[in-house]
Amino acid sequence: MGYHFFVRKDGSIYRGRPEGVVGSHAKGSNSDSIGICFEGSYMTETMNQTQINAGRELVAYLKKKYEITTVQKHKDVCSTNCPGTNFPFDAIVNGAVASTPAPSQTPTAKPTSNEKVTGTYEVTASDLSVRTGPGTGYRRKRHNELTKDGQKHDKDKDGCLEKGTRVTVYEWKNGWARTPSGWLCGDYLRKV
């Protein structure tokens, strides 16, 4: 397991890698962090209070033990949507009351100051995954599935575009941008 801890939906917490061992949970940030995984898919699910309470206790314990002042989401350090738009980060990290929509309501997209339009964009993440469809449920493309230009900007040959790569966006769907090589998360694109 690449994580140091795994929090189940029933509130049980499992130890993964020992805390003194480097994890494999956030490329580029593994050596100075402790990885915690929460069971569930928080792009579509909402977390139950038992799991929130367990996560809150674990984070509070680790913050105190290691004098941690900054707790980050996976997407704060990597090109990903993880842990998901429904993940109750503030409730777990700061003890805030989780604000989740009522079951009959459908969450709406956050208004943005940058209207998503077609055109040229620049990748702002260090490694931005190119997906086969608009979302994390679609697999990452392989290097040889990218366009020739995309392959030039995939230095690690792992289906990810390097920071600073310019791409042409033809379509937007649920915050994802369709480019010649594939779909990219719009959170990591800046209009140029």
Side-chain angles (χ1 to χ4, degrees):
M1 170 187 278
Y3 298 93
H4 297 93
F5 297 94
F6 181 65
V7 182
R8 300 289 309 265
K9 290 182 178 183
D10 66 2
S12 56
I13 300 172
Y14 293 85
R15 285 189 177 271
R17 294 191 182 189
E19 292 163 45
V21 174
V22 174
S24 180
H25 53 276
K27 184 178 177 181
S29 297
N30 290 317
S31 62
D32 61 352
S33 63
I34 295 173
I36 303 172
C37 180
F38 287 79
E39 180 183 23
S41 177
Y42 297 104
M43 286 302 285
T44 55
E45 296 178 46
T46 55
M47 190 179 291
N48 69 58
Q49 195 60 50
T50 301
Q51 190 177 18
I52 291 171
N53 292 343
R56 182 185 299 132
E57 289 175 20
L58 174 61
V59 170
Y61 162 77
L62 293 170
K63 285 169 73 174
K64 183 176 180 182
K65 180 177 181 180
Y66 294 105
E67 300 179 355
I68 295 170
T69 56
T70 303
V71 179
Q72 295 179 297
K73 302 173 204 155
H74 191 185
K75 71 180 182 179
D76 293 336
V77 296
C78 292
S79 174
T80 179
N81 281 337
C82 181
T85 54
N86 296 330
F87 188 85
F89 184 79
D90 286 336
I92 291 170
V93 174
N94 303 318
V97 176
S99 59
T100 56
S104 61
Q105 296 175 328
T106 303
T108 56
K110 294 185 289 186
T112 175
S113 58
N114 297 336
E115 183 183 350
K116 299 299 185 185
V117 295
T118 57
T120 304
Y121 286 76
E122 183 176 86
V123 173
T124 60
S126 57
D127 270 321
L128 185 58
S129 298
V130 181
R131 303 253 177 204
T132 58
T136 56
Y138 293 88
R139 72 170 174 80
R140 181 190 297 173
K141 284 193 167 188
R142 292 182 290 277
H143 177 76
N144 63 354
E145 293 178 290
L146 305 179
T147 63
K148 292 293 180 197
D149 188 57
Q151 290 176 10
K152 284 192 275 184
H153 297 283
D154 179 18
K155 298 207 179 359
D156 296 334
K157 300 190 182 334
D158 60 355
C160 296
L161 300 180
E162 298 292 319
K163 185 175 186 174
T165 302
R166 291 193 175 206
V167 295
T168 302
V169 174
Y170 297 115
E171 171 188 6
W172 285 94
K173 186 171 186 181
N174 300 326
W176 288 78
R178 184 174 61 84
T179 70
S181 281
W183 291 87
L184 303 172
C185 178
D187 291 342
Y188 303 99
L189 297 176
R190 179 178 56 84
K191 185 85 169 97
V192 292

Short mmCIF file of all heavy atoms in Angstrom, two decimals, residues 6-46:
data_model
loop_
_atom_site.label_atom_id
_atom_site.label_comp_id
_atom_site.label_asym_id
_atom_site.label_seq_id
_atom_site.Cartn_x
_atom_site.Cartn_y
_atom_site.Cartn_z
N PHE A 6 -5.32 4.08 5.97
CA PHE A 6 -6.51 3.88 5.16
C PHE A 6 -7.72 3.95 6.08
O PHE A 6 -7.81 3.20 7.05
CB PHE A 6 -6.44 2.51 4.47
CG PHE A 6 -7.61 2.20 3.58
CD1 PHE A 6 -7.86 2.95 2.43
CD2 PHE A 6 -8.46 1.15 3.87
CE1 PHE A 6 -8.92 2.66 1.60
CE2 PHE A 6 -9.54 0.85 3.04
CZ PHE A 6 -9.77 1.60 1.91
N VAL A 7 -8.65 4.87 5.80
CA VAL A 7 -9.83 5.08 6.63
C VAL A 7 -11.03 4.47 5.92
O VAL A 7 -11.42 4.94 4.85
CB VAL A 7 -10.07 6.58 6.93
CG1 VAL A 7 -11.28 6.77 7.82
CG2 VAL A 7 -8.83 7.23 7.53
N ARG A 8 -11.62 3.44 6.53
CA ARG A 8 -12.77 2.75 5.93
C ARG A 8 -14.07 3.50 6.21
O ARG A 8 -14.15 4.33 7.11
CB ARG A 8 -12.89 1.33 6.51
CG ARG A 8 -11.70 0.41 6.29
CD ARG A 8 -11.53 -0.03 4.85
NE ARG A 8 -12.74 -0.58 4.27
CZ ARG A 8 -13.04 -1.87 4.22
NH1 ARG A 8 -12.24 -2.78 4.75
NH2 ARG A 8 -14.16 -2.27 3.62
N LYS A 9 -15.11 3.17 5.46
CA LYS A 9 -16.42 3.81 5.63
C LYS A 9 -17.02 3.53 7.00
O LYS A 9 -17.78 4.34 7.53
CB LYS A 9 -17.38 3.36 4.53
CG LYS A 9 -17.01 3.91 3.17
CD LYS A 9 -18.01 3.48 2.11
CE LYS A 9 -17.62 4.08 0.77
NZ LYS A 9 -18.60 3.75 -0.28
N ASP A 10 -16.65 2.38 7.60
CA ASP A 10 -17.18 2.04 8.92
C ASP A 10 -16.40 2.71 10.05
O ASP A 10 -16.66 2.47 11.22
CB ASP A 10 -17.20 0.52 9.12
CG ASP A 10 -15.82 -0.10 9.17
OD1 ASP A 10 -14.80 0.63 9.09
OD2 ASP A 10 -15.74 -1.34 9.29
N GLY A 11 -15.41 3.57 9.69
CA GLY A 11 -14.64 4.30 10.69
C GLY A 11 -13.37 3.60 11.15
O GLY A 11 -12.59 4.18 11.89
N SER A 12 -13.15 2.37 10.70
CA SER A 12 -11.92 1.69 11.09
C SER A 12 -10.74 2.27 10.31
O SER A 12 -10.88 2.69 9.17
CB SER A 12 -12.04 0.18 10.88
OG SER A 12 -12.38 -0.11 9.55
N ILE A 13 -9.60 2.33 10.98
CA ILE A 13 -8.39 2.90 10.39
C ILE A 13 -7.33 1.81 10.33
O ILE A 13 -7.03 1.16 11.33
CB ILE A 13 -7.87 4.09 11.22
CG1 ILE A 13 -8.94 5.19 11.27
CG2 ILE A 13 -6.57 4.63 10.63
CD1 ILE A 13 -8.60 6.34 12.21
N TYR A 14 -6.76 1.63 9.15
CA TYR A 14 -5.72 0.63 8.94
C TYR A 14 -4.40 1.33 8.70
O TYR A 14 -4.35 2.35 8.00
CB TYR A 14 -6.06 -0.26 7.74
CG TYR A 14 -7.27 -1.12 7.97
CD1 TYR A 14 -8.54 -0.62 7.72
CD2 TYR A 14 -7.14 -2.41 8.46
CE1 TYR A 14 -9.66 -1.41 7.94
CE2 TYR A 14 -8.25 -3.20 8.68
CZ TYR A 14 -9.51 -2.70 8.42
OH TYR A 14 -10.61 -3.47 8.64
N ARG A 15 -3.34 0.78 9.26
CA ARG A 15 -2.00 1.29 8.98
C ARG A 15 -1.50 0.65 7.71
O ARG A 15 -1.68 -0.54 7.49
CB ARG A 15 -1.04 0.97 10.12
CG ARG A 15 -1.25 1.83 11.34
CD ARG A 15 -0.11 1.62 12.34
NE ARG A 15 -0.29 2.50 13.47
CZ ARG A 15 0.19 3.73 13.53
NH1 ARG A 15 0.89 4.22 12.53
NH2 ARG A 15 -0.02 4.48 14.59
N GLY A 16 -0.88 1.46 6.86
CA GLY A 16 -0.25 0.96 5.64
C GLY A 16 1.25 0.96 5.86
O GLY A 16 1.75 0.25 6.72
N ARG A 17 1.94 1.83 5.15
CA ARG A 17 3.39 1.94 5.34
C ARG A 17 3.68 2.57 6.70
O ARG A 17 2.93 3.43 7.16
CB ARG A 17 4.00 2.81 4.24
CG ARG A 17 3.89 2.16 2.89
CD ARG A 17 4.70 2.87 1.86
NE ARG A 17 4.51 2.20 0.58
CZ ARG A 17 5.20 2.44 -0.51
NH1 ARG A 17 6.14 3.37 -0.49
NH2 ARG A 17 4.97 1.79 -1.62
N PRO A 18 4.78 2.18 7.32
CA PRO A 18 5.16 2.83 8.58
C PRO A 18 5.37 4.33 8.34
O PRO A 18 5.82 4.74 7.27
CB PRO A 18 6.47 2.15 8.96
CG PRO A 18 6.44 0.84 8.25
CD PRO A 18 5.69 1.09 6.98
N GLU A 19 5.06 5.15 9.33
CA GLU A 19 5.14 6.60 9.17
C GLU A 19 6.55 7.08 8.83
O GLU A 19 6.71 8.10 8.16
CB GLU A 19 4.67 7.29 10.45
CG GLU A 19 3.20 7.10 10.69
CD GLU A 19 2.79 7.40 12.12
OE1 GLU A 19 3.24 8.43 12.66
OE2 GLU A 19 2.03 6.62 12.69
N GLY A 20 7.57 6.36 9.24
CA GLY A 20 8.95 6.75 8.95
C GLY A 20 9.43 6.33 7.58
O GLY A 20 10.55 6.63 7.19
N VAL A 21 8.59 5.65 6.80
CA VAL A 21 8.95 5.17 5.47
C VAL A 21 8.28 6.07 4.43
O VAL A 21 7.12 6.46 4.58
CB VAL A 21 8.49 3.69 5.28
CG1 VAL A 21 8.72 3.22 3.86
CG2 VAL A 21 9.20 2.79 6.27
N VAL A 22 9.01 6.39 3.36
CA VAL A 22 8.47 7.23 2.30
C VAL A 22 7.29 6.52 1.63
O VAL A 22 7.38 5.34 1.29
CB VAL A 22 9.55 7.58 1.25
CG1 VAL A 22 8.96 8.32 0.07
CG2 VAL A 22 10.66 8.41 1.88
N GLY A 23 6.20 7.24 1.47
CA GLY A 23 5.02 6.68 0.84
C GLY A 23 5.08 6.74 -0.67
O GLY A 23 6.06 7.21 -1.26
N SER A 24 4.03 6.28 -1.30
CA SER A 24 3.90 6.33 -2.75
C SER A 24 2.46 6.76 -3.05
O SER A 24 1.67 5.99 -3.56
CB SER A 24 4.19 4.96 -3.36
OG SER A 24 4.06 5.01 -4.76
N HIS A 25 2.14 7.99 -2.67
CA HIS A 25 0.77 8.47 -2.76
C HIS A 25 0.63 9.79 -3.49
O HIS A 25 -0.47 10.12 -3.92
CB HIS A 25 0.18 8.61 -1.35
CG HIS A 25 1.02 9.43 -0.44
ND1 HIS A 25 2.08 8.90 0.26
CD2 HIS A 25 0.99 10.73 -0.13
CE1 HIS A 25 2.66 9.86 0.96
NE2 HIS A 25 2.02 10.98 0.73
N ALA A 26 1.70 10.55 -3.64
CA ALA A 26 1.61 11.87 -4.29
C ALA A 26 2.95 12.18 -4.96
O ALA A 26 3.87 12.67 -4.32
CB ALA A 26 1.26 12.95 -3.27
N LYS A 27 3.03 11.88 -6.24
CA LYS A 27 4.27 12.06 -7.01
C LYS A 27 4.87 13.44 -6.76
O LYS A 27 4.19 14.45 -6.88
CB LYS A 27 3.98 11.87 -8.49
CG LYS A 27 5.20 11.95 -9.38
CD LYS A 27 4.83 11.69 -10.82
CE LYS A 27 6.02 11.83 -11.73
NZ LYS A 27 5.68 11.63 -13.13
N GLY A 28 6.14 13.45 -6.38
CA GLY A 28 6.84 14.70 -6.12
C GLY A 28 6.71 15.21 -4.70
O GLY A 28 7.41 16.12 -4.29
N SER A 29 5.81 14.61 -3.90
CA SER A 29 5.61 15.05 -2.51
C SER A 29 5.65 13.90 -1.52
O SER A 29 5.28 14.07 -0.36
CB SER A 29 4.26 15.77 -2.39
OG SER A 29 4.24 16.93 -3.19
N ASN A 30 6.09 12.74 -1.95
CA ASN A 30 6.08 11.57 -1.07
C ASN A 30 7.08 11.66 0.08
O ASN A 30 6.82 11.18 1.17
CB ASN A 30 6.35 10.30 -1.87
CG ASN A 30 5.20 9.93 -2.77
OD1 ASN A 30 4.06 10.00 -2.37
ND2 ASN A 30 5.51 9.54 -3.99
N SER A 31 8.22 12.28 -0.17
CA SER A 31 9.30 12.26 0.82
C SER A 31 9.05 13.15 2.03
O SER A 31 9.70 13.00 3.05
CB SER A 31 10.63 12.64 0.16
OG SER A 31 10.55 13.96 -0.34
N ASP A 32 8.10 14.08 1.94
CA ASP A 32 7.86 14.98 3.07
C ASP A 32 6.38 15.03 3.45
O ASP A 32 5.87 16.07 3.84
CB ASP A 32 8.38 16.39 2.75
CG ASP A 32 7.69 17.02 1.55
OD1 ASP A 32 6.92 16.33 0.87
OD2 ASP A 32 7.92 18.20 1.31
N SER A 33 5.71 13.90 3.32
CA SER A 33 4.29 13.88 3.65
C SER A 33 3.86 12.52 4.17
O SER A 33 4.56 11.53 4.01
CB SER A 33 3.44 14.26 2.43
OG SER A 33 3.60 13.30 1.40
N ILE A 34 2.69 12.51 4.78
CA ILE A 34 2.06 11.28 5.25
C ILE A 34 0.78 11.13 4.44
O ILE A 34 -0.05 12.04 4.41
CB ILE A 34 1.75 11.35 6.76
CG1 ILE A 34 3.05 11.43 7.56
CG2 ILE A 34 0.91 10.14 7.19
CD1 ILE A 34 2.85 11.67 9.04
N GLY A 35 0.62 9.99 3.79
CA GLY A 35 -0.53 9.77 2.92
C GLY A 35 -1.68 9.08 3.64
O GLY A 35 -1.48 8.06 4.30
N ILE A 36 -2.88 9.66 3.51
CA ILE A 36 -4.09 9.06 4.08
C ILE A 36 -5.08 8.84 2.95
O ILE A 36 -5.38 9.77 2.19
CB ILE A 36 -4.73 9.98 5.14
CG1 ILE A 36 -3.74 10.31 6.25
CG2 ILE A 36 -5.99 9.32 5.71
CD1 ILE A 36 -4.25 11.36 7.23
N CYS A 37 -5.60 7.63 2.84
CA CYS A 37 -6.60 7.29 1.84
C CYS A 37 -7.93 7.06 2.54
O CYS A 37 -7.99 6.42 3.59
CB CYS A 37 -6.18 6.03 1.09
SG CYS A 37 -7.35 5.51 -0.17
N PHE A 38 -9.01 7.58 1.97
CA PHE A 38 -10.36 7.37 2.49
C PHE A 38 -11.12 6.49 1.51
O PHE A 38 -11.16 6.81 0.31
CB PHE A 38 -11.09 8.71 2.67
CG PHE A 38 -10.60 9.51 3.82
CD1 PHE A 38 -9.43 10.26 3.73
CD2 PHE A 38 -11.29 9.52 5.01
CE1 PHE A 38 -8.98 11.01 4.80
CE2 PHE A 38 -10.85 10.27 6.09
CZ PHE A 38 -9.68 11.00 5.99
N GLU A 39 -11.69 5.41 2.00
CA GLU A 39 -12.49 4.53 1.15
C GLU A 39 -13.67 5.32 0.57
O GLU A 39 -14.35 6.04 1.29
CB GLU A 39 -13.02 3.36 1.97
CG GLU A 39 -13.86 2.38 1.17
CD GLU A 39 -14.42 1.26 2.03
OE1 GLU A 39 -14.54 1.42 3.26
OE2 GLU A 39 -14.74 0.20 1.46
N GLY A 40 -13.90 5.19 -0.73
CA GLY A 40 -15.02 5.86 -1.36
C GLY A 40 -14.60 6.60 -2.61
O GLY A 40 -13.41 6.75 -2.90
N SER A 41 -15.59 7.07 -3.34
CA SER A 41 -15.37 7.84 -4.57
C SER A 41 -16.11 9.16 -4.41
O SER A 41 -17.31 9.25 -4.66
CB SER A 41 -15.90 7.07 -5.78
OG SER A 41 -15.75 7.84 -6.94
N TYR A 42 -15.38 10.21 -3.97
CA TYR A 42 -16.03 11.45 -3.55
C TYR A 42 -16.23 12.48 -4.66
O TYR A 42 -16.44 13.65 -4.40
CB TYR A 42 -15.33 11.99 -2.31
CG TYR A 42 -15.50 10.99 -1.20
CD1 TYR A 42 -14.47 10.14 -0.82
CD2 TYR A 42 -16.75 10.79 -0.64
CE1 TYR A 42 -14.67 9.16 0.13
CE2 TYR A 42 -16.96 9.81 0.31
CZ TYR A 42 -15.92 9.00 0.70
OH TYR A 42 -16.13 8.02 1.63
N MET A 43 -16.23 11.99 -5.90
CA MET A 43 -16.75 12.80 -7.00
C MET A 43 -18.26 12.55 -7.08
O MET A 43 -19.02 13.41 -7.52
CB MET A 43 -16.10 12.42 -8.33
CG MET A 43 -14.67 12.91 -8.47
SD MET A 43 -14.46 14.68 -8.32
CE MET A 43 -15.10 15.24 -9.89
N THR A 44 -18.70 11.36 -6.63
CA THR A 44 -20.11 11.00 -6.73
C THR A 44 -20.75 10.68 -5.39
O THR A 44 -21.95 10.82 -5.22
CB THR A 44 -20.28 9.78 -7.66
OG1 THR A 44 -19.46 8.70 -7.17
CG2 THR A 44 -19.89 10.11 -9.08
N GLU A 45 -19.98 10.23 -4.40
CA GLU A 45 -20.52 9.85 -3.10
C GLU A 45 -20.36 10.98 -2.09
O GLU A 45 -19.59 11.92 -2.31
CB GLU A 45 -19.75 8.65 -2.53
CG GLU A 45 -19.87 7.38 -3.33
CD GLU A 45 -19.04 6.26 -2.72
OE1 GLU A 45 -19.11 6.07 -1.49
OE2 GLU A 45 -18.32 5.60 -3.47
N THR A 46 -21.10 10.88 -0.99
CA THR A 46 -20.86 11.75 0.16
C THR A 46 -20.43 10.87 1.33
O THR A 46 -20.87 9.73 1.45
CB THR A 46 -22.12 12.56 0.54
OG1 THR A 46 -23.20 11.66 0.76
CG2 THR A 46 -22.48 13.55 -0.54
#
